[in-house]
Amino acid sequence: MSSRIEQIIEEIEEYIDRDCKYQPLSTTKIIVNKEHLDELLRELRMKIPDEIKRYQKIIANRDAILNDAQAKADAMLEEAQLQTTELVSEHEIMQQAYNQANEIVTQATAQAQEIVDRATEDANTIRIGAIQYADDLLANAESIIGHTLDSYTSKYDGLIHSLQECYDVVRTNRAELEVPTDDGTVDMID
């Protein structure tokens, strides 16, 4: 299931590929509807915090997993201690009960530690995955915004270059229209 951010990024890519037309006499520069692109970027900016909050909730679940594991470990230790108390209370098998109780406590402690270790590892894996996913989304958004910025910069540079060429042609044409006067000076036609 893809997130709304991924859908918006796909919409921007589809818009650029499908709906944007090339500038006249160019195969690399396109014309974009600024309002439409701004609307998609605005929605992208609004959705990024929601996605990050979603992954912060996943990270917060790590504490719940650890608390649950600790509760299970405590319950196992309590049960082991109860069994120890029952075994020790019977005088005839006191030594056997003591040994069994120690074994149960050792096993319970080892199992409890294993549960806590596994829960910690799972929680860290979830946390790292959530952070990586959020970073991937932000990197994708950064790439699209950078590409858009580069595109606008090159379009602006192209416009300035075109205007300079037109200006130079007009100056050259005006210079060619200079008319010499009878006294040897040159008059410009205004």
Side-chain angles (χ1 to χ4, degrees), residues 125-186:
T125 301
I126 290 169
R127 180 181 161 273
I128 289 168
I131 290 170
Q132 182 62 48
Y133 182 73
D135 185 59
D136 290 347
L137 290 175
L138 291 173
N140 205 353
E142 179 183 16
S143 172
I144 289 171
I145 292 168
H147 176 71
T148 302
L149 183 62
D150 289 346
S151 176
Y152 275 107
T153 302
S154 66
K155 289 176 187 174
Y156 177 77
D157 290 345
L159 174 65
I160 294 298
H161 181 71
S162 294
L163 287 173
Q164 183 64 47
E165 286 179 351
C166 290
Y167 176 77
D168 291 344
V169 168
V170 168
R171 276 188 72 90
T172 302
N173 289 344
R174 283 197 73 214
E176 290 174 1
L177 293 176
E178 292 177 348
V179 178
T181 60
D182 291 338
D183 62 358
T185 62
V186 176

Side-chain angles (χ1 to χ4, degrees), residues 55 58-59 61 65 121-131:
Y55 291 107
I58 291 172
I59 291 168
N61 283 339
I65 292 168
E121 185 178 324
D122 289 349
N124 285 337
T125 301
I126 290 169
R127 180 181 161 273
I128 289 168
I131 290 170

Side-chain angles (χ1 to χ4, degrees), residues 10-128:
E10 288 174 8
E11 286 178 33
I12 291 172
E13 290 172 342
E14 285 179 16
Y15 169 68
I16 289 171
D17 291 340
R18 190 184 59 214
D19 296 337
C20 294
K21 305 291 184 231
Y22 284 102
Q23 279 185 332
L25 306 176
S26 174
T27 59
T28 57
K29 297 178 183 179
I30 59 171
I31 300 169
V32 297
N33 179 326
K34 184 177 183 321
E35 287 181 15
H36 183 65
L37 191 57
D38 282 348
E39 178 182 325
L40 290 170
L41 291 173
R42 228 181 346 269
E43 186 176 354
L44 184 63
R45 281 189 200 98
M46 288 176 14
K47 290 296 179 185
I48 287 174
D50 290 342
E51 287 288 326
I52 291 172
K53 284 178 191 172
R54 192 169 121 216
Y55 291 107
Q56 285 174 336
K57 285 180 184 175
I58 291 172
I59 291 168
N61 283 339
R62 173 182 175 262
D63 291 337
I65 292 168
L66 289 174
N67 290 339
D68 184 54
Q70 188 63 52
K72 287 178 181 176
D74 291 343
M76 290 174 74
L77 286 173
E78 188 177 332
E79 182 180 337
Q81 288 172 347
L82 286 173
Q83 288 179 6
T84 301
T85 303
E86 288 174 12
L87 290 172
V88 170
S89 67
E90 297 191 26
H91 186 65
E92 301 120 30
I93 54 169
M94 189 182 219
Q95 189 59 41
Q96 183 184 359
Y98 180 77
N99 290 339
Q100 287 179 348
N102 280 339
E103 186 178 323
I104 290 170
V105 168
T106 302
Q107 288 176 354
T109 303
Q111 287 177 344
Q113 188 59 49
E114 185 178 324
I115 289 170
V116 169
D117 290 347
R118 232 185 343 233
T120 302
E121 185 178 324
D122 289 349
N124 285 337
T125 301
I126 290 169
R127 180 181 161 273
I128 289 168

